[in-house]
Structures are given as structure tokens and as C-alpha cells.
Amino acid sequence: MRLKYGDLIIIAVILLAAILMIIPKKSNGEQVILTCDGEEIAVFDLNKNTEYTFHGSYENKLIIENGYAFISESDCPDKVCVRSKKISKSGETICCLPNKMMLTVVSIKIKTDVISK
Amino acid sequence: MTEKIAKCGVFAAIAIVISSLERLIPLQAVVPLPGIKLGLSNCVILFVLIQFGFLSALSVLLIKCTVTSVLFSGISSLVFSLSGGFLALCGMYLLLQFKKLFSVYGISVCGAALHNIGQVAAAAVMLGSIYIFEYLPVMLFISIITGMITGGISDIIGRRLKGYRG
């Protein structure tokens, strides 16, 4: 190992950037938004237990249970969505890239047209 | 020139073999994040970049990404690996201009981090959402580790092939 000063700077900068991105505290989420290819498909209440199957190029089975949302089954090739952690805090996501499906937890749903008014 | 093309072809083949072997390492089972991998083929790209220059490394990268995505993961992953790979290559090329400051470890870590940033950015564009940047901090932490591993391998390769001139 022959590290030079610049290497330590690079590692420090990356660490700092990662820590800065984590720091903003997460609040508990209220709703889960399901999007496909950027388009909103459905909105779910996190406090209501539900099941929903999303049919895209593949099928993702979404389950909402005790304030947590997760994908229980999927026939996509990589299964990253099924292995992802359960989400409950605002900003947390589960995505299934093969299906272009994404779940996002939000605290209160803010409509974008309020801002652009 | 012809010799350079032939050698780049050989290195492209090595990169393809390495990244297909790398798929046997079940890193995604440990860290369930999309696109997590060791990035061992980055050693090859880095070696070509040092020995032959930017354009050769770019061509090896293009061949490697196209072939691996056609063979294994489908065309949609080509966007991710190309955007990440290209950003990483540009960053590593920049750092190579300051050889006194950076060793192969730093260059490799920077390449790994930029690869992840490029991938996440491509995913954000594809999914039309910025929330996917949520993954980035974890991926950056991991890229320091994987970057050090690939940097170590590049360091060993560099020392073994000290007399070698492309």
C-alpha cells in the first residue's frame, strides 16, 4: 500500500459527501406512491394494510403492513425489489429497474402545482 | 497502430471475461442494492488507460459494456453501465494528469464512486424521479471499499508488469 496525499483527500471527500447526504433526519411517512417510468400509478395509505399487484413488463406484488411497505413477490429477473428493506420513512424507496417501477414514501403529499402557482 | 488495436481487443476480451466471472460473486445477496458489484473489470480499463491512453480505454469500455449487456443483463442495463463507466473513465483520466498527487488507489476509488454516481443519475433519468438518490450515500461508502480492492489489484498488476510497454 503506497497511498499518497491525494488518495486520502479523495476518500475524505467521498465519505463527507455520503455523510452529508445521510444527515437530514427522516420523518415517518404517511403515504406510498407507486410510479412507473415517472408516471404516477397509485397512492396508498401506509397505515392501512393492503395488497396490490402492479402489472408492468413484470409483476410486482406490493404489501403494506403495519406502516411498512415492501414487495413480497416479483417475476422480474434480478429480484432486487424483493430483497430490498421494508420502507416506512419519508424519502425511502424500493425500485424494480427491470419493471421501471418505483415505490416512494412521502410524509404529506404535496402537489407540484401549488408551487408553480 | 494495428498492434494497439489488437492489444485493445485482447484487453476488451479480458474485461468481458472478468465481468462475467464477477457475476458469480453474490454481492447483491449481502447488500441488496441495484447495481452493486466489485467492478473488477475497472482494473482492466484503468490499466489500458495508463498504458494506451484515453481513446483506447474508451473503446475497451464500449466493447465491454455492449457485449456484457447483450450477453447477460439485457439492453436496458447498457445505459447504466455506459453512463457510469464513461463518467468513471473521465474522472480517472483527469486524476491521471496529476500522478504526483494520486496513486492508483485514489484513482480507483474515485472511478468506483463516479461509476455509482453515473449509474444513479441514469436511473433517476430513466425512472423520472430524484428519490433514487437515496441510494447514493450507501453506494458511495461501498465504492470506497470496492475501489480500494480494485486499486490494490491494479497496484499489483502495475508492479508485476513494470517493464511492460504497450
Side-chain angles (χ1 to χ4, degrees), chain A residues 63-75:
Chain A
I63 290 185
I64 294 175
E65 211 174 63
N66 309 325
Y68 285 91
F70 61 97
I71 301 287
S72 66
E73 276 170 52
S74 172
D75 58 355

Side-chain angles (χ1 to χ4, degrees), chain B residues 115-150:
Chain B
H115 196 283
N116 283 332
I117 293 170
Q119 262 185 335
V120 171
V125 171
M126 230 175 110
L127 289 164
S129 163
I130 54 159
Y131 284 110
I132 194 152
F133 279 100
E134 164 96 357
Y135 285 131
L136 198 52
V138 190
M139 292 182 95
L140 286 181
F141 278 127
I142 294 166
S143 72
I144 293 175
I145 301 165
T146 58
M148 287 304 278
I149 295 171
T150 51

Side-chain angles (χ1 to χ4, degrees), chain A:
Chain A
M1 289 264 271
R2 291 165 299 172
L3 286 177
K4 294 181 185 169
Y5 279 119
D7 303 341
L8 299 175
I9 295 171
I10 290 174
I11 293 171
V13 166
I14 295 171
L15 267 178
L16 198 71
I19 290 167
L20 279 180
M21 275 186 274
I22 289 178
I23 279 179
K25 276 270 173 191
K26 292 166 185 169
S27 54
N28 279 320
E30 297 289 331
Q31 285 175 316
V32 182
I33 302 179
L34 194 156
T35 57
C36 176
D37 215 354
E39 264 179 71
E40 197 178 301
I41 307 292
V43 181
F44 303 95
D45 210 325
L46 257 185
N47 303 313
K48 234 186 275 168
N49 293 356
T50 31
E51 276 186 35
Y52 177 81
T53 308
F54 171 64
H55 304 272
S57 321
Y58 301 98
E59 279 183 14
N60 299 126
K61 193 174 174 198
L62 161 73
I63 290 185
I64 294 175
E65 211 174 63
N66 309 325
Y68 285 91
F70 61 97
I71 301 287
S72 66
E73 276 170 52
S74 172
D75 58 355
C76 63
D78 62 6
K79 302 270 191 287
V80 168
C81 50
V82 182
R83 283 200 300 265
S84 296
K85 276 192 315 191
K86 295 180 177 185
I87 54 172
S88 65
K89 301 242 182 328
S90 85
E92 288 184 326
T93 55
I94 292 176
C95 64
C96 179
L97 287 180
N99 209 1
K100 293 186 177 177
M101 189 281 313
M102 192 158 127
L103 287 173
T104 311
V105 179
V106 289
S107 46
I108 310 156
K109 215 187 144 210
I110 305 162
K111 287 226 165 84
T112 40
D113 52 6
V114 177
I115 301 163
S116 60
K117 211 190 283 178

